[in-house]
PDB file of all heavy atoms in Angstrom:
ATOM      1  N   LEU A   6      70.191  98.977 197.076  1.00 34.00           N
ATOM      2  CA  LEU A   6      71.346  98.990 197.988  1.00 34.00           C
ATOM      3  C   LEU A   6      70.880  98.584 199.367  1.00 34.00           C
ATOM      4  O   LEU A   6      71.590  97.781 200.036  1.00 34.00           O
ATOM      5  CB  LEU A   6      71.947 100.393 197.997  1.00 34.00           C
ATOM      6  CG  LEU A   6      73.187 100.578 198.867  1.00 34.00           C
ATOM      7  CD1 LEU A   6      74.308  99.675 198.393  1.00 34.00           C
ATOM      8  CD2 LEU A   6      73.675 102.057 198.856  1.00 34.00           C
ATOM      9  N   ALA A  47      84.590 118.190 178.555  1.00 98.00           N
ATOM     10  CA  ALA A  47      83.668 118.822 179.442  1.00 98.00           C
ATOM     11  C   ALA A  47      82.398 118.009 179.639  1.00 98.00           C
ATOM     12  O   ALA A  47      81.840 117.945 180.744  1.00 98.00           O
ATOM     13  CB  ALA A  47      83.322 120.204 178.888  1.00 98.00           C
ATOM     14  N   ASP A  51      80.839 116.585 183.038  1.00 97.00           N
ATOM     15  CA  ASP A  51      79.500 116.937 183.424  1.00 97.00           C
ATOM     16  C   ASP A  51      78.712 115.716 183.874  1.00 97.00           C
ATOM     17  O   ASP A  51      77.826 115.819 184.754  1.00 97.00           O
ATOM     18  CB  ASP A  51      78.747 117.554 182.220  1.00 97.00           C
ATOM     19  CG  ASP A  51      79.253 118.961 181.872  1.00 97.00           C
ATOM     20  OD1 ASP A  51      79.960 119.539 182.702  1.00 97.00           O
ATOM     21  OD2 ASP A  51      78.952 119.425 180.771  1.00 97.00           O
ATOM     22  N   PRO A 104     110.462 134.813 178.785  1.00 96.00           N
ATOM     23  CA  PRO A 104     109.335 135.755 178.882  1.00 96.00           C
ATOM     24  C   PRO A 104     107.963 135.114 178.722  1.00 96.00           C
ATOM     25  O   PRO A 104     106.975 135.703 179.137  1.00 96.00           O
ATOM     26  CB  PRO A 104     109.577 136.731 177.707  1.00 96.00           C
ATOM     27  CG  PRO A 104     111.056 136.640 177.436  1.00 96.00           C
ATOM     28  CD  PRO A 104     111.385 135.196 177.670  1.00 96.00           C
ATOM     29  N   ASP A 209     111.403 104.142 188.689  1.00 95.00           N
ATOM     30  CA  ASP A 209     112.091 104.123 189.982  1.00 95.00           C
ATOM     31  C   ASP A 209     111.147 104.615 191.101  1.00 95.00           C
ATOM     32  O   ASP A 209     111.391 104.269 192.297  1.00 95.00           O
ATOM     33  CB  ASP A 209     113.329 104.985 189.970  1.00 95.00           C
ATOM     34  CG  ASP A 209     114.449 104.384 189.096  1.00 95.00           C
ATOM     35  OD1 ASP A 209     114.420 103.139 188.917  1.00 95.00           O
ATOM     36  OD2 ASP A 209     115.321 105.129 188.666  1.00 95.00           O
ATOM     37  N   VAL A 276      83.253 111.732 169.993  1.00 98.00           N
ATOM     38  CA  VAL A 276      82.194 112.746 170.065  1.00 98.00           C
ATOM     39  C   VAL A 276      80.830 112.099 169.910  1.00 98.00           C
ATOM     40  O   VAL A 276      79.861 112.483 170.597  1.00 98.00           O
ATOM     41  CB  VAL A 276      82.403 113.826 169.000  1.00 98.00           C
ATOM     42  CG1 VAL A 276      81.216 114.746 168.938  1.00 98.00           C
ATOM     43  CG2 VAL A 276      83.681 114.627 169.344  1.00 98.00           C
ATOM     44  N   GLY A 280      79.393 112.773 173.351  1.00 98.00           N
ATOM     45  CA  GLY A 280      78.781 114.055 173.126  1.00 98.00           C
ATOM     46  C   GLY A 280      79.715 115.209 173.344  1.00 98.00           C
ATOM     47  O   GLY A 280      80.927 115.009 173.612  1.00 98.00           O
ATOM     48  N   PHE A 301      94.515 125.513 150.830  1.00 96.00           N
ATOM     49  CA  PHE A 301      95.515 125.962 149.868  1.00 96.00           C
ATOM     50  C   PHE A 301      96.126 124.784 149.108  1.00 96.00           C
ATOM     51  O   PHE A 301      97.023 124.991 148.278  1.00 96.00           O
ATOM     52  CB  PHE A 301      96.613 126.767 150.571  1.00 96.00           C
ATOM     53  CG  PHE A 301      97.484 125.978 151.486  1.00 96.00           C
ATOM     54  CD1 PHE A 301      98.601 125.333 151.052  1.00 96.00           C
ATOM     55  CD2 PHE A 301      97.157 125.899 152.866  1.00 96.00           C
ATOM     56  CE1 PHE A 301      99.413 124.625 151.895  1.00 96.00           C
ATOM     57  CE2 PHE A 301      97.972 125.172 153.705  1.00 96.00           C
ATOM     58  CZ  PHE A 301      99.088 124.523 153.232  1.00 96.00           C
ATOM     59  N   ASP A 319     111.287 104.454 158.359  1.00 98.00           N
ATOM     60  CA  ASP A 319     110.951 105.767 157.822  1.00 98.00           C
ATOM     61  C   ASP A 319     109.470 105.762 157.477  1.00 98.00           C
ATOM     62  O   ASP A 319     108.812 104.718 157.515  1.00 98.00           O
ATOM     63  CB  ASP A 319     111.821 106.084 156.614  1.00 98.00           C
ATOM     64  CG  ASP A 319     111.728 105.019 155.529  1.00 98.00           C
ATOM     65  OD1 ASP A 319     111.857 103.802 155.901  1.00 98.00           O
ATOM     66  OD2 ASP A 319     111.594 105.339 154.353  1.00 98.00           O
ATOM     67  N   HIS A 341     115.698 114.914 159.386  1.00 98.00           N
ATOM     68  CA  HIS A 341     114.442 115.404 159.950  1.00 98.00           C
ATOM     69  C   HIS A 341     114.156 114.579 161.207  1.00 98.00           C
ATOM     70  O   HIS A 341     114.161 113.368 161.181  1.00 98.00           O
ATOM     71  CB  HIS A 341     113.329 115.224 158.964  1.00 98.00           C
ATOM     72  CG  HIS A 341     111.964 115.564 159.526  1.00 98.00           C
ATOM     73  ND1 HIS A 341     111.626 116.819 159.920  1.00 98.00           N
ATOM     74  CD2 HIS A 341     110.900 114.756 159.777  1.00 98.00           C
ATOM     75  CE1 HIS A 341     110.360 116.815 160.408  1.00 98.00           C
ATOM     76  NE2 HIS A 341     109.937 115.557 160.310  1.00 98.00           N
ATOM     77  N   THR A 360      98.673 122.191 158.657  1.00 96.00           N
ATOM     78  CA  THR A 360     100.120 122.177 158.581  1.00 96.00           C
ATOM     79  C   THR A 360     100.741 122.594 159.920  1.00 96.00           C
ATOM     80  O   THR A 360     101.817 122.082 160.294  1.00 96.00           O
ATOM     81  CB  THR A 360     100.654 123.070 157.459  1.00 96.00           C
ATOM     82  OG1 THR A 360     100.198 124.400 157.636  1.00 96.00           O
ATOM     83  CG2 THR A 360     100.208 122.533 156.109  1.00 96.00           C
ATOM     84  N   LEU A 383     126.029 109.475 164.456  1.00 98.00           N
ATOM     85  CA  LEU A 383     124.647 110.011 164.519  1.00 98.00           C
ATOM     86  C   LEU A 383     123.609 108.919 164.250  1.00 98.00           C
ATOM     87  O   LEU A 383     122.648 108.749 165.037  1.00 98.00           O
ATOM     88  CB  LEU A 383     124.470 111.119 163.502  1.00 98.00           C
ATOM     89  CG  LEU A 383     123.055 111.655 163.280  1.00 98.00           C
ATOM     90  CD1 LEU A 383     122.630 112.447 164.541  1.00 98.00           C
ATOM     91  CD2 LEU A 383     122.988 112.537 162.069  1.00 98.00           C
ATOM     92  N   SER A 387     120.841 106.834 166.937  1.00 95.00           N
ATOM     93  CA  SER A 387     119.432 107.235 166.782  1.00 95.00           C
ATOM     94  C   SER A 387     118.508 106.128 166.330  1.00 95.00           C
ATOM     95  O   SER A 387     117.321 106.396 166.083  1.00 95.00           O
ATOM     96  CB  SER A 387     119.338 108.380 165.810  1.00 95.00           C
ATOM     97  OG  SER A 387     119.751 107.954 164.484  1.00 95.00           O
ATOM     98  N   VAL A 457     120.209 128.816 156.676  1.00 97.00           N
ATOM     99  CA  VAL A 457     119.874 128.734 155.247  1.00 97.00           C
ATOM    100  C   VAL A 457     118.541 129.509 155.051  1.00 97.00           C
ATOM    101  O   VAL A 457     117.490 129.051 155.445  1.00 97.00           O
ATOM    102  CB  VAL A 457     119.673 127.265 154.816  1.00 97.00           C
ATOM    103  CG1 VAL A 457     119.333 127.227 153.317  1.00 97.00           C
ATOM    104  CG2 VAL A 457     120.906 126.443 155.088  1.00 97.00           C
ATOM    105  N   ILE A 484     115.201 103.525 155.697  1.00 98.00           N
ATOM    106  CA  ILE A 484     115.803 102.979 156.919  1.00 98.00           C
ATOM    107  C   ILE A 484     115.156 101.585 157.137  1.00 98.00           C
ATOM    108  O   ILE A 484     113.980 101.479 157.409  1.00 98.00           O
ATOM    109  CB  ILE A 484     115.525 103.867 158.153  1.00 98.00           C
ATOM    110  CG1 ILE A 484     115.996 105.278 157.868  1.00 98.00           C
ATOM    111  CG2 ILE A 484     116.207 103.324 159.363  1.00 98.00           C
ATOM    112  CD1 ILE A 484     115.612 106.292 158.932  1.00 98.00           C
TER     113      ILE A 484
END
Side-chain angles (χ1 to χ4, degrees):
L6 181 61
D51 290 345
D209 290 337
V276 172
F301 68 88
D319 53 315
H341 173 66
T360 59
L383 172 70
S387 65
V457 182
I484 305 173

